[in-house]
Amino acid sequence: MGSPIAMEIFLQNATDTETYNTNGVLESVSPSLLTDDKVLVSVEVCLKPSSTARIEDVQAVVERMLEKRSLSYVDGPIPVPDDDTFLKENVQRIHICDTDEWVEKHEILLFWQVKPVVHVFQLSEEGPGEESSGDGQLSSFNEWILPAKEFDGMWESLIFEVGLKQRLLRYAASALLFTEKGVNPFLVSWNRVILLHGPPGTGKTSLCKALAQKLSIRFNSRYPQCQLVEVNAHSLFSKWFSESGKLVAKLFQKIQEMVEEENNLVFVVIDEVESLAAARNAALSGSEPSDSIRVVNALLTQMDKLKSSPNVIILTTSNITAAIDIAFVDRADIKAYVGPPPLQARYEILRSCMEELIRTGILTYPEGYFKFLNYPTLREKLNMAEAHELQGSLCLSKQLVEAAELCESLSGRALRKLPLLAHAALDNPYSRDPAQFLNTMIDVAKREISQLSG
């Protein structure tokens, strides 16, 4: 099982530029692809709900299977071998991760250049546990056992500007590694607090939950138990402000109980954290009871106390960047703006939607199996192709990128609604022609954009 550093690429002899291939022929390669310092690629193995196999046993069998593999490494599923009864009985799926940055560079990772790091996990099917505030008000927080079935596949479905997800993964890996190695916090400071800010509908809350899910898988060798606590910031401000302090105390008492277990990694998600700042500003201006500012101060104090616990990460979001309390902003180690998706992200979001409709049979392609081109490949082919050569996958992919270009003002959430709205707008709802569907989707997008601007 991988340690936190397994998410990074380490080079010991970066000046070397030559290695031998599998046929014994000397080749010149990039220093980052040396055989003695291989690229570490995560391989996630999801067990079946019915499996009772030991994680260590499954890991060993998968590692042996990968040693025999002689293909290139790219993100996506690996078929479970039909001739391996043990894996067939216990493993639901095997998935390669973390090769996307190499794809962006148009570099292919061959099997002899890769050291796979195997992470074996089993999804919890318990669902969220809701903690009631007790007097008919909103629940103060929900909690999940991670990795949770509810969040399965969420990380892969989220598409942002290139590098954002990897940046967050690597930050968390470094923060946990510094803690694990006993780095003096008075010399090197870190709080394990992430702040994602930007307009509504850009996927900030989903990214927080997906990041917690992904980290629970990547660090399950060190932390076999993981929990996610989602705080409802609005519920902390009771209509009876004297009760709000009790809600904060109850919330953090629960979190403290969780982090006291050293093998338990706890993620605390605080959504719309600007509501805390708004409450404090209102209290300072005299328009709210003074209890309000005490509640916010109590929350910040409790967060500071969690800094001494090595096994907790706080993930926060804000829709209104300018409204975030400066005292809170100062506590965040990493502040990432999550804005409307750029063109490449918009294309990839729509591409994933179209492929899902083709997978489910709502749309079909006349020539049978079909996949839209990914964005870098599409751009290359469009630059090389003549107008009369645009046919098949290239023609439909070009149509899709035109739709993506049109949707510049739409959020990721709005983009993912377009396929349903387009299908509902079809003259013939039983038509399964992707070209006709794309034309309708472009018309629907124009309508949605005009309504936003009007």
Side-chain angles (χ1 to χ4, degrees):
M1 304 281 276
S3 64
I5 59 173
M7 299 170 64
E8 302 287 357
I9 298 169
F10 289 88
L11 307 174
Q12 293 176 357
N13 302 309
T15 56
D16 295 342
T17 57
E18 295 180 329
T19 188
Y20 289 88
N21 67 16
T22 50
N23 297 318
V25 179
L26 188 65
E27 293 183 331
S28 175
V29 297
S30 164
S32 59
L33 298 178
L34 298 174
T35 53
D36 57 344
D37 292 288
K38 296 184 178 182
V39 176
L40 300 174
V41 171
S42 293
V43 178
E44 296 179 358
V45 181
C46 180
L47 297 178
K48 292 180 178 179
S50 58
S51 174
T52 57
R54 294 195 322 149
I55 284 178
E56 295 83 358
D57 294 340
V58 176
Q59 180 189 356
V61 173
V62 171
E63 285 174 347
R64 286 197 296 271
M65 179 200 81
L66 293 173
E67 285 176 5
K68 302 175 184 176
R69 192 172 183 272
S70 58
L71 302 172
S72 60
Y73 273 74
V74 64
D75 280 13
I78 299 177
V80 179
D82 290 325
D83 58 351
D84 193 313
T85 306
F86 177 75
L87 291 182
K88 275 290 185 183
E89 287 179 353
N90 292 286
V91 172
Q92 185 167 306
R93 66 172 184 271
I94 304 173
H95 202 92
I96 295 175
C97 310
D98 301 340
T99 65
D100 52 342
E101 62 181 293
W102 299 95
V103 173
E104 288 291 330
K105 299 173 187 174
H106 303 286
E107 294 187 48
I108 297 174
L109 292 178
L110 301 176
F111 70 97
W112 52 272
Q113 298 166 330
V114 169
K115 176 174 175 53
V117 182
V118 178
H119 307 277
V120 182
F121 65 97
Q122 194 166 33
L123 295 170
S124 168
E125 299 187 349
E126 288 186 23
E130 190 173 276
E131 187 72 21
S132 173
S133 58
D135 55 2
Q137 296 190 56
L138 290 170
S139 141
S140 57
F141 63 91
N142 296 328
E143 58 178 302
W144 286 265
I145 303 296
L146 297 180
K149 184 177 181 181
E150 184 172 339
F151 306 139
D152 189 33
M154 183 183 286
W155 178 263
E156 290 73 21
S157 72
L158 294 171
I159 301 172
F160 301 98
E161 62 178 303
V162 175
L164 174 61
K165 293 199 293 186
Q166 283 297 327
R167 177 188 172 201
L168 294 175
L169 269 180
R170 289 174 173 173
Y171 157 77
S174 296
L176 291 172
L177 177 65
F178 275 40
T179 302
E180 192 78 14
K181 293 295 185 180
V183 174
N184 188 332
F186 296 108
L187 299 178
V188 180
S189 178
W190 71 101
N191 293 321
R192 295 186 304 280
V193 176
I194 293 173
L195 171 61
L196 304 181
H197 59 97
T202 52
K204 299 181 296 296
T205 305
S206 296
L207 180 54
C208 285
K209 293 176 180 178
L211 178 62
Q213 174 95 341
K214 182 63 68 171
L215 292 170
S216 73
I217 293 169
R218 296 294 175 88
F219 294 98
N220 65 355
S221 60
R222 171 61 185 88
Y223 299 103
Q225 303 172 56
C226 290
Q227 288 173 277
L228 169 64
V229 176
E230 183 182 26
V231 179
N232 185 327
H234 294 289
S235 74
L236 294 177
F237 300 101
S238 167
K239 60 181 177 181
W240 309 110
F241 274 95
S242 60
E243 295 295 312
S244 296
K246 295 178 183 178
L247 293 180
V248 173
K250 183 178 181 181
L251 166 65
F252 279 90
Q253 180 183 355
K254 178 77 173 178
I255 295 173
Q256 285 291 350
E257 290 172 2
M258 293 177 181
V259 300
E260 283 173 5
E261 175 57 57
E262 291 183 357
N263 291 328
N264 191 21
L265 182 56
V266 180
F267 301 93
V268 181
V269 174
I270 306 177
D271 207 13
E272 297 183 25
V273 75
E274 71 271 8
S275 63
L276 305 179
R280 183 147 89 165
N281 290 340
L284 289 171
S285 68
S287 60
E288 292 285 359
S290 59
D291 277 349
S292 179
I293 192 169
R294 284 199 287 268
V295 171
V296 179
N297 288 340
L299 185 60
L300 294 174
T301 300
Q302 293 289 348
M303 287 177 58
D304 289 340
K305 287 183 180 179
L306 286 177
K307 183 178 177 180
S308 62
S309 302
N311 53 331
V312 61
I313 293 178
I314 299 174
L315 309 160
T316 66
T317 74
S318 174
N319 291 334
I320 311 171
T321 305
I324 309 172
D325 194 308
I326 189 65
F328 182 85
V329 173
D330 190 53
R331 286 166 169 78
D333 296 331
I334 187 167
K335 295 167 277 288
Y337 176 75
V338 184
L343 175 58
Q344 179 169 348
R346 295 197 301 275
Y347 175 83
E348 294 296 348
I349 288 171
L350 292 177
R351 181 170 79 101
S352 68
C353 292
M354 294 295 293
E355 289 184 346
E356 178 63 11
L357 295 185
I358 290 172
R359 184 191 72 81
T360 55
I362 292 175
L363 299 178
T364 57
Y365 189 64
E367 298 175 9
Y369 181 73
F370 169 80
K371 290 194 77 170
F372 286 87
L373 301 174
N374 64 40
Y375 187 81
T377 304
L378 172 62
R379 277 302 176 202
E380 278 187 14
K381 289 186 177 294
L382 287 177
N383 290 335
M384 295 166 54
E386 300 290 339
H388 65 273
E389 295 177 349
L390 299 181
Q391 55 185 348
S393 62
L394 184 55
C395 183
L396 283 175
S397 297
K398 182 177 184 294
Q399 201 175 355
L400 186 63
V401 83
E402 289 170 357
E405 288 170 346
L406 176 69
C407 296
E408 184 176 2
S409 60
L410 296 184
S411 68
R413 182 188 298 161
L415 284 169
R416 292 205 178 274
K417 291 179 182 177
L418 280 182
L420 175 63
L421 298 177
H423 192 270
L426 287 172
D427 293 332
N428 176 11
Y430 299 103
S431 170
R432 297 193 288 176
D433 177 15
Q436 180 185 346
F437 184 86
L438 279 171
N439 285 331
T440 304
M441 191 164 73
I442 289 173
D443 291 339
V444 169
K446 290 177 180 176
R447 184 188 70 200
E448 292 296 303
I449 292 166
S450 67
Q451 290 176 350
L452 284 174
S453 59

